[in-house]
């Protein structure tokens, strides 16, 4: 890839991170039309809000993404089947031992999702690598008229690379992206939307053990990352939005026009505080 091509790709990715998450799919297709040679690279590097489907064999929700996709079909982690069914092909599957670990991860991750998020849909997908394996741990939580938010979603995408180092050590590399969308409806101001991305990376090393040892190691890595990111989302987005609103003009509670502004600021502050309490 030439320097000019790389520069265009970096600029496109930076642009996507500054555009509203709710318009990601439309904007991504627009960029692919402008940069057709970089289409595959863009789809790999740009995180999109997660989509949810239902496994008809068990009526359980699961995440649809590139990590469980084969053509136009998506594999459910619950039944290990593709929907819609593939014709004449079993599709991309993890190896036997890795599928057993994936099944255990989904059970544990579902309990984690229920404990921390009190709802939503979560999925875990694993795949084999030459140096070990990798996995995608994802949660989508939608909010509808709850805690001051009229509409919104929290998308957590955790990609973990597990590599065997020197035979006795296992290195865990976690890359996490949070995609946040919030909408507050005010009777006078109309719709006020807040959205953004945040991506962070962390690593950990542990002595090599059996397959089940990966569960607590990866679990604690994801848990600590989510706790830190919730705090950063509050500091980066919530506090900054509050600062902008407060600096638009000085509010005078005795002025009826300023009372409207104060009410809008209060509504947004309530919505942000509601999201922060998910932690």
């Amino acid at each position: 890839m030439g320097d000019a091509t790389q520069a265009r790709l970096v600029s496109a990715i930076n642009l996507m991170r500054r555009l509203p998450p709710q318009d990601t799919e439309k904007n991504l297709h627009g960029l692919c039309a402008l940069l057709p040679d970089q289409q595959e690279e863009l789809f790999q590097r740009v995180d999109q809000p997660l989509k949810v489907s239902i496994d008809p064999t068990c009526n359980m929700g699961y995440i649809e993404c590139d990590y469980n996709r084969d053509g136009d079909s998506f594999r459910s982690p619950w039944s290990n089947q593709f929907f819609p069914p593939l014709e004449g092909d079993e599709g991309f599957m993890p190896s036997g031992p890795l599928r057993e670990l994936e099944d255990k991860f989904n059970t544990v991750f579902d309990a984690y999702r229920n404990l921390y998020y009190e709802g939503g849909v979560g999925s875990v997908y694993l795949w084999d690598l030459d140096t070990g394996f990798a996995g995608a741990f994802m949660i989508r939580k939608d909010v509808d008229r709850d805690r001051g938010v009229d509409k919104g979603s929290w998308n957590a995408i955790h990609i973990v690379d597990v590599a065997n180092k020197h035979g006795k050590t296992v290195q865990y590399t976690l890359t996490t992206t949070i995609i946040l969308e919030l909408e507050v409806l005010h009777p006078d101001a109309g719709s006020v939307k807040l959205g953004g991305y945040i991506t962070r990376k962390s690593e950990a090393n542990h002595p090599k053990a059996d397959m089940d040892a990966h569960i607590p190691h990866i679990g604690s890595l994801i848990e600590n990352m989510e706790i830190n990111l919730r705090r950063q989302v509050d500091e980066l987005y919530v506090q900054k939005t509050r600062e902008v609103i407060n600096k638009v003009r000085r509010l005078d509670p005795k002025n009826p026009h300023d009372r409207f502004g104060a009410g809008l600021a209060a509504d947004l502050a309530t919505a942000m505080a509601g999201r922060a309490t998910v932690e």
Side-chain angles (χ1 to χ4, degrees), residues 251-267:
L251 300 179
D252 181 4
K254 297 180 180 179
N255 188 319
H257 298 290
D258 283 353
R259 281 201 299 271
F260 155 70
L264 175 59
D267 287 347

Side-chain angles (χ1 to χ4, degrees), residues 199-211:
T199 300
R200 294 292 184 269
K201 186 176 181 178
S202 66
E203 292 184 355
N205 292 284
H206 294 280
K208 188 175 181 179
D210 58 18
M211 292 290 280

Side-chain angles (χ1 to χ4, degrees), residues 174 176 200-202 221-229:
L174 171 65
T176 296
R200 294 292 184 269
K201 186 176 181 178
S202 66
L221 199 62
I222 290 176
E223 182 180 25
N224 292 334
M225 175 67 82
E226 287 212 335
I227 291 173
N228 291 332
L229 283 181

Side-chain angles (χ1 to χ4, degrees), residues 201-266:
K201 186 176 181 178
S202 66
E203 292 184 355
N205 292 284
H206 294 280
K208 188 175 181 179
D210 58 18
M211 292 290 280
D212 287 347
H214 295 304
I215 297 176
H217 295 332
I218 294 177
S220 61
L221 199 62
I222 290 176
E223 182 180 25
N224 292 334
M225 175 67 82
E226 287 212 335
I227 291 173
N228 291 332
L229 283 181
R230 289 190 189 102
R231 187 176 298 113
Q232 291 183 39
V233 165
D234 179 60
E235 294 173 355
L236 290 175
Y237 293 114
V238 178
Q239 302 299 336
K240 191 64 177 180
T241 300
R242 184 177 298 142
E243 180 183 347
V244 170
I245 292 175
N246 289 339
K247 288 187 177 180
V248 169
R249 60 179 175 176
R250 187 175 181 179
L251 300 179
D252 181 4
K254 297 180 180 179
N255 188 319
H257 298 290
D258 283 353
R259 281 201 299 271
F260 155 70
L264 175 59

Side-chain angles (χ1 to χ4, degrees), residues 63 73 98 174 270:
I63 301 294
S73 299
L98 200 60
L174 171 65
T270 301

